[in-house]
Amino acid sequence: MLVSIDPSTPRVGIVVTDSYPLEDLDHDTAPLVDALRARGVDARAAVWHDESLDWARFDLLVLRSPWDYPERVEEFMAWLERAEAATRVLNEPALVRWNLDKRYLAQLEREGVAVVPTTYRTVVDDVAAELRAFADAHVVLKPAVSAGARDTGLFRADDPAALELAARIVDAGGTVMVQPEIPELSAGREKALYVIDGELTHAIAKGALLAPGGGLLGGTYEEHPELVAVTDDEEAFAHAVVAAVGRATGLEAPLYARVDVVDSAAYGLVLLEAELFEPALNLHVAPHVTHLVAAAVARRLEVAATRVG
Ligand SMILES: Nc1ncnc2c1ncn2[C@@H]1O[C@H](COP(=O)(O)OP(=O)(O)O)[C@@H](O)[C@H]1O
Ligand SMILES: [Mg+2]
């Protein structure tokens, strides 16, 4: 049967990519598209580097899983500019650009958020000096622009492999983030807290990812998300992070945010990252959240329609 689409039906593009590693599939887009369609929204997945798409035909683009962007950052930034010139994009591209480089953590710290202790180094010798100060403690090194634990390594500070990773990041033009190992993270106690349009909707634990000595446990990136309960402190922390993002950027409240935290013996409850443009929402383990996300998108569409009208 052919369904004719009313021209006033809002069109939403859920921005994705076209290939995912088997261990890291996009579990969110299909249910979200269905939930939006059930609300009368003409929703579809749209691959960000699909040259055949006319972005102006969408009333709203919701960034979801453009997960190949770290390998093609410049291309992604150029696309983002084109997309925002053509239509409304959420989260806001200005927020995306701010969120792309984890040096935002230092800004959030200045806004009063407790963050995993981090230094940012652009010179390998500075990393070497810092690692010497760590002696035989364990450290984590990662690039400021990364996702999916790419080029992220857990080492004893005197392991030459740590400096090799630092050199690789610097050679690629990146900034090296140096952090003490948070043992609770290595024990798989990272929690991702989801704030959808200002409401804490769900949380997942992801399990440990880094193998000591560099690389990933099991050799591949696998999150093993599990739905977990949220304490009052964690909920307050998540809202405080979103508020601090607002103060640091001066931008509108995000449609969605994933606030990754760990409750550590050494530092208390601390922020690992605030993911504002491509978090896996893990709707497959929290199906009840799907309609909350769809409702939030629908509300943003109404705002967009009022602005135009
Ligand atoms: N300081 C740390 N101590 C122990 N493990 C860490 C530390 N930083 C990161 N990790 C591990 O590496 C993973 C990826 O690091 P993260 O900072 O979340 O970057 P991204 O998810 O953007 O790649 C985390 O989910 C966590 O398992
Ligand atoms: Mg992470």
Side-chain angles (χ1 to χ4, degrees), residues 102 116 140 142 146-150 152 154 179-183 185-186 190 206-210 221 258 260 272-273 275:
K102 290 201 182 108
V116 173
V140 168
K142 57 184 121 175
S146 180
R150 198 178 262 98
T152 299
L154 165 64
Q179 300 178 334
E181 179 197 13
I182 308 288
L185 285 173
S186 305
E190 176 173 354
K206 339 184 150 162
L209 290 170
L210 305 181
Y221 186 83
R258 193 194 69 208
D260 291 345
L272 183 63
E273 62 174 322
E275 171 50 66

Side-chain angles (χ1 to χ4, degrees), residues 34-200:
D34 287 349
L36 284 166
R37 287 188 178 161
R39 294 180 156 264
V41 173
D42 178 13
R44 54 166 289 184
V47 174
W48 69 273
H49 42 76
D50 181 345
E51 301 287 337
S52 72
L53 288 177
D54 176 4
W55 302 103
R57 287 170 55 83
F58 294 97
D59 299 292
L60 175 65
L61 294 173
V62 177
L63 295 170
R64 188 74 298 287
S65 54
W67 291 340
D68 49 352
Y69 82 87
E71 296 136 32
R72 41 209 295 193
V73 175
E74 277 173 28
E75 195 187 340
F76 182 70
M77 301 304 262
W79 170 78
L80 203 56
E81 259 180 49
R82 285 204 308 283
E84 81 179 313
T87 186
R88 184 148 192 250
V89 180
L90 290 176
N91 285 330
E92 275 182 88
L95 189 60
V96 173
R97 288 188 274 269
W98 179 83
N99 193 226
L100 206 78
D101 185 320
K102 290 201 182 108
R103 280 173 289 184
Y104 69 75
L105 286 170
Q107 286 185 44
L108 293 181
E109 198 165 23
R110 287 196 288 278
E111 294 296 336
V113 174
V115 171
V116 173
T118 310
T119 60
Y120 304 85
R121 308 283 183 193
T122 49
V123 176
V124 176
D125 282 349
D126 295 344
V127 178
E130 182 171 2
L131 293 183
R132 279 194 294 279
F134 271 101
D136 63 356
H138 283 75
V139 292
V140 168
L141 271 61
K142 57 184 121 175
V145 178
S146 180
R150 198 178 262 98
D151 283 340
T152 299
L154 165 64
F155 308 97
R156 218 172 88 151
D158 55 6
D159 182 342
L163 269 190
E164 281 162 28
L165 173 58
R168 204 156 68 237
I169 294 170
V170 169
D171 287 348
T175 295
V176 184
M177 296 168 62
V178 182
Q179 300 178 334
E181 179 197 13
I182 308 288
E184 290 82 357
L185 285 173
S186 305
R189 289 211 284 278
E190 176 173 354
K191 251 193 204 186
L193 311 170
Y194 291 92
V195 180
I196 309 293
D197 216 10
E199 189 192 340
L200 193 126

